[in-house]
Amino acid sequence: MLATVVAMAARRVAETELWRTFGDASAAHHLARTAGTSITKAKEALDSAARLGGLPAVEAAARRGELSPSQVAPITDAASKAPGAEARLLTTAKTASLGELNDACARAKAAAEPDEGARHRAVHAARFLRRRPCADGGAELLYHSTRDEVAEVFAIAPGWADRRFRTARGVGTREPAEAYLADGLLDSARASCVRTGPAAPGNQLDAEPARPGQAGSVGLGAHVAGAGRPRPPSPAKVIVRIDWDALIRGWPIDGEICEINGLGPVAVSAVRAMIATDDPFLAAVVTKGVDVVNVAHLGRRATVFQRTGLEWLSPECITLGCSAKAHLEIDHREPWATSKVTLLRALENHCPHHHDKKTYEGWALVEGTGKRPMVPPDDPRHPRHQHTGPAPPETGDAA
């Protein structure tokens, strides 16, 4: 609530242009300096406050403290372009995680965009790669481009990361998955440099693996020992979700989907271009055509087509409020030992945390389909209570 008041006051200062008297480059620079925040955050707050004037329902919710600044920004951005989505996005904000809300806002904007091809071209024209130092002594890269190009770049890293992971596991070391992805991106960049002859001293690609407890990154020596240039691993699969009508029409309308899994809406023209490349690592899932929903087989593991279909139907953890998209684990709604059949419609994706809650602690998703809450065993919404009712009160002496 206080953040909303501050943003509205800052917007008023911006309108009066009093900030010019302090010598600041812009209203955002003035707010960042006086409030002790970043210029990006300050600009986001000012933009959100400016849009609130035309969105009475969002403004009222923000003033009541029902929305955080991180929620206000994407909702006002989307609702200002798609006014009809304002109420729906406010409802989504009540139960969804910030990641899920951002996805919903992105889809609302994409559906309301009259010329999504122009938006795609504008983003591509504004692409950039930047580097900047960090306060902890490190540095970071920021790559901005269209979602299809970001997906293409990011798809290269997992194959290299898997090499790092297997090498590290062989010597008994363990690091977070994101650390291996960072190593994978670096290794792919190094492999793109043509090298002949012996490897240069200190090159991580041909360095010997670190011993357990030894500081430093684990190299790829176990995989490319003696090699001048390692053979690049296969990139990960990039899944495009698109409705048939949108693909034929050339643009989506409200309620239709055209997006890259994990990134969100993308221009239909970009999807058509990706399909035209015949890239073997691109999986395009269309809602009409092959009916993947009814694909079934008698094995326990999902087939390749079922996995692709599941990644389309459930690109993130099925638990409401969880937007995890990495390291998802496939789970049978009904234990395979009971059904002896694997149906796509009976499979769901869980993040490791929620999968463990379901498997070892008795938690379960409430009945229904799609994203929904996961509740503990004593919750009245737990499926066991829906069928058997709550357990009767105990009587007599305790055992």
Side-chain angles (χ1 to χ4, degrees):
M1 188 183 300
L2 179 59
T4 300
V5 173
V6 170
M8 298 294 285
R11 180 60 190 174
R12 180 56 184 155
V13 172
E15 291 172 348
T16 61
E17 297 193 351
L18 287 174
W19 52 269
R20 294 183 183 276
T21 63
F22 296 94
D24 293 300
S26 68
H29 285 76
H30 176 72
L31 177 58
R33 180 175 58 81
T34 56
T37 186
S38 68
I39 297 174
T40 300
K41 287 291 184 182
K43 186 178 185 305
E44 182 180 270
L46 290 172
D47 290 343
S48 298
R51 292 189 292 259
L52 280 175
L55 302 168
V58 179
E59 181 178 358
R63 288 183 178 275
R64 291 193 300 267
E66 296 174 1
L67 298 173
S68 70
S70 296
Q71 292 173 311
V72 170
I75 291 178
T76 56
D77 182 33
S80 62
K81 298 176 176 63
E86 182 178 2
R88 183 173 74 249
L89 295 177
L90 284 174
T91 300
T92 301
K94 294 179 180 179
T95 56
S97 67
L98 183 59
E100 293 168 333
L101 177 62
N102 284 330
D103 289 342
C105 291
R107 289 167 185 161
K109 286 174 55 181
E113 176 60 57
D115 186 359
E116 48 116 34
R119 176 165 53 89
H120 182 271
R121 292 189 295 271
V123 173
H124 184 266
R127 65 194 181 280
F128 62 80
L129 175 65
R130 297 171 182 165
R131 62 180 181 178
R132 62 184 181 186
C134 299
D136 63 356
E140 59 188 21
L141 294 173
L142 179 60
Y143 173 60
H144 178 86
S145 188
T146 57
R147 288 175 173 174
D148 55 305
E149 291 181 344
V150 169
E152 183 179 354
V153 171
F154 192 81
I156 297 173
W160 293 99
D162 185 61
R163 286 185 171 184
R164 289 276 191 164
F165 170 75
R166 287 185 280 109
T167 302
R169 184 173 60 180
V171 297
T173 60
R174 177 176 296 182
E175 293 184 271
E178 290 182 345
Y180 293 122
L181 283 173
D183 293 339
L185 183 61
L186 178 61
D187 290 343
S188 65
R190 285 172 169 164
S192 67
C193 300
V194 178
R195 293 186 288 110
T196 57
N203 193 310
Q204 286 285 350
L205 284 177
D206 297 295
E208 290 298 321
R211 293 182 292 275
Q214 178 180 340
S217 301
V218 177
L220 295 178
H223 302 287
V224 294
R229 184 182 182 187
R231 180 175 58 85
S234 298
K237 179 169 57 180
V238 176
I239 297 181
V240 176
R241 306 163 57 193
I242 184 169
D243 285 345
W244 172 259
D245 291 338
L247 180 62
I248 297 302
R249 186 188 309 110
W251 66 88
I253 60 176
D254 193 16
E256 293 181 344
I257 289 178
C258 178
E259 61 185 45
I260 295 176
N261 267 23
L263 289 178
V266 65
V268 174
S269 58
V271 173
R272 286 176 168 175
M274 294 170 72
I275 294 175
T277 64
D278 291 327
D279 187 340
F281 299 103
L282 171 67
V285 180
V286 185
T287 55
K288 292 182 181 180
V290 179
D291 185 7
V292 297
V293 175
N294 292 328
V295 173
H297 75 113
L298 301 181
R300 179 165 187 164
R301 292 183 177 273
T303 65
V304 172
F305 291 109
Q306 286 178 323
R307 286 178 176 271
T308 299
L310 183 60
E311 291 170 1
W312 165 66
L313 293 169
S314 181
E316 59 188 23
C317 179
I318 197 70
T319 300
L320 185 64
C322 179
S323 56
K325 296 181 175 68
H327 309 297
L328 299 180
E329 300 171 354
I330 297 178
D331 180 60
H332 291 72
R333 295 187 64 172
E334 181 182 358
W336 183 84
T338 302
S339 66
K340 298 299 183 181
V341 66
T342 297
L343 293 169
L344 178 57
R345 64 173 179 268
L347 299 176
E348 293 174 323
N349 271 332
H350 293 279
C351 68
H353 170 72
H354 285 109
H355 199 184
D356 288 347
K357 299 289 283 187
K358 176 180 183 292
T359 304
Y360 303 113
E361 300 181 31
W363 287 53
L365 294 165
V366 300
E367 292 189 336
T369 58
K371 290 183 74 72
R372 53 200 190 277
M374 179 175 284
V375 296
D378 57 353
D379 191 292
R381 296 172 295 169
H382 195 285
R384 70 173 61 170
H385 303 315
Q386 302 299 313
H387 297 289
T388 62
E394 294 182 357
T395 59
D397 296 334

